[in-house]
Amino acid sequence: MKVLSIQSAVAWGHVGNSAAVFPLQRIGVEVVPVLTVNFSNHTGYGAWRGPLIPPADVADVLLGVEERGIFPRIDAVLSGYQGGVGIGDVIIDAVRRVKAANPAAVYACDPVMGNAKSGCFVAPEIPELLRDRVVPVADIITPNQFELGFLTGTEPADIRSTLESADLARAMGPSTVLVTSVERPDRPEGTIEMLVVDNSGAWLVNTPHLPFKANGSGDVTAALFTAHYVGTKDAKVALERTASSVFDLIETTYKSGERELQLVEAQEFYAHPQMQFTAEKVR
C-alpha cells in the first residue's frame, strides 16, 4: 500500500506528518510525505520557528511526484491540518489528479478545526473551506465530535445524535466517518469512545480515558485508521486495530511523563496491535 500524506511537519515532537509517517511505515505502508509547513515544534508551545511552505511550492513538489509516475500507484491520499485556503486548493487538485490516475484511490481527510474545550484554533476561513469544498470530495473523514457538529450544523452528544450527525456528514460526500472522540453523557466513567459509520453499519469502541492532552494523537489515529480500512475494507477491524494501537501509544506517553508522544517507544503497538478492545455494532 502507498499513501500520499500532505501535512505539516515539525523537527521536535510528533504532529502532522511527523506523527503519521512512522506508524504507517511500521505497519508496512509506503508513505510519500509532502510537507505544508516545516516548523521547529508544534504551535501548542506558544512559540515556534520555521516556514509555512507556500501553496505553489507544495504544488510543485506534488507535480514532481506525479512526474515520477507515482500517482497511479497511490492507494490513499491523507490530509490533516490545513493552514490556509491555498493549501486546501492544492490538496483538492492533488486528489483529483491521483484519482484520475488510479480510480480506486481514496481520499481521507482529517478536518482539523478545534475541540469542545478550546473551540476553533484554525484560521477563520478554514472551517468553511473544509465543510463546503474539502469534505465533499473526501471518501473518509475523521472528525472529533466538535468538528462533526460544525460540519453538519448539529450538536452531537449521545449515540443517537452522533449517528444522525455522521449520516448528515456522509450525505455531504464521504462514505466513511470515524468520530475520534465521542464523549456521550451516559458513557462509563473514565472512558472515551470512537465511532465509525460506513455503508455496512456503525461500530463503537470504548477505551479508558487518560487525563492529559497528547498533541498528534489525532494525526496518528487518522493515519492508522485510513491504512487499516483501505487494507481490510472492514470498518470494525480497522476501528479495533486503531483503538488498540493509539491507546497503547497514549498510555506509553502518559507513563513516561513526557509532553511529546512517545512515538518510537510505542512502535510495537502499531506493528502488532494487542486488540484489547472489541467494537460493538450499534446499528
Side-chain angles (χ1 to χ4, degrees):
M1 184 187 304
K2 289 182 173 56
V3 172
L4 174 64
S5 184
I6 310 171
Q7 300 196 57
S8 60
V10 294
W12 167 249
H14 301 290
V15 297
N17 266 335
S18 301
V21 172
F22 179 63
L24 287 174
Q25 291 172 330
R26 203 59 186 83
I27 64 173
V29 174
E30 183 72 38
V31 187
V32 183
V34 175
L35 310 187
T36 58
V37 310
N38 188 16
F39 287 167
S40 55
N41 49 271
H42 69 70
T43 58
Y45 284 94
W48 64 94
R49 295 183 181 273
L52 284 164
I53 299 176
D57 290 346
V58 178
D60 203 38
V61 172
L62 287 162
L63 178 60
V65 173
E66 184 177 26
E67 290 172 341
R68 303 287 76 74
I70 305 303
F71 279 12
R73 298 153 59 192
I74 296 295
D75 299 291
V77 180
L78 176 65
S79 72
Y81 170 79
Q82 298 188 18
V85 173
I87 290 296
D89 292 335
V90 170
I91 292 170
I92 292 168
D93 183 61
V95 169
R96 178 187 59 79
R97 284 154 47 203
V98 167
K99 288 194 170 191
N102 177 16
V106 303
Y107 170 38
C109 169
D110 184 7
V112 178
M113 302 177 204
N115 55 62
K117 292 181 180 178
S118 60
C120 279
F121 50 66
V122 296
E125 64 272 17
I126 296 301
E128 287 77 13
L129 167 75
L130 290 166
R131 181 191 62 203
D132 299 338
R133 298 185 54 209
V134 180
V135 166
V137 303
D139 301 288
I140 301 167
I141 60 171
T142 60
N144 59 36
Q145 213 168 10
F146 170 84
E147 293 160 344
L148 178 65
F150 177 86
L151 291 172
T152 58
T154 61
E155 295 183 4
D158 57 12
I159 294 302
R160 180 190 59 79
S161 60
T162 304
L163 284 169
E164 290 173 353
S165 298
D167 288 339
L168 289 172
R170 294 178 70 231
M172 297 167 65
S175 59
T176 303
V177 175
L178 173 69
V179 189
T180 58
S181 56
V182 177
E183 298 187 54
R184 57 187 171 103
D186 58 340
R187 72 191 186 278
E189 185 176 355
T191 67
I192 194 165
E193 294 166 318
M194 288 197 289
L195 173 75
V196 64
V197 184
D198 73 354
N199 292 333
S200 62
W203 285 265
L204 184 76
V205 67
N206 181 293
T207 71
H209 185 207
L210 298 173
F212 83 119
K213 182 180 179 181
N215 292 96
S217 58
D219 301 319
V220 177
T221 300
L224 288 176
F225 178 80
T226 296
H228 288 313
Y229 187 75
V230 171
T232 66
K233 307 295 191 294
D234 188 318
K236 179 178 185 291
V237 170
L239 179 62
E240 290 172 342
R241 289 181 181 176
T242 302
S244 174
S245 297
V246 172
F247 175 78
D248 282 331
L249 166 62
I250 294 175
E251 185 176 50
T252 299
T253 304
Y254 181 62
K255 289 179 176 178
S256 75
E258 297 290 335
R259 176 172 182 171
E260 295 290 346
L261 287 177
Q262 299 301 287
L263 200 75
V264 175
E265 290 79 355
Q267 62 181 286
E268 287 303 313
F269 297 127
Y270 325 135
H272 307 289
Q274 296 193 83
M275 303 301 286
Q276 67 270 48
F277 306 113
T278 299
E280 170 193 2
K281 189 166 189 179
V282 292
R283 192 175 67 191

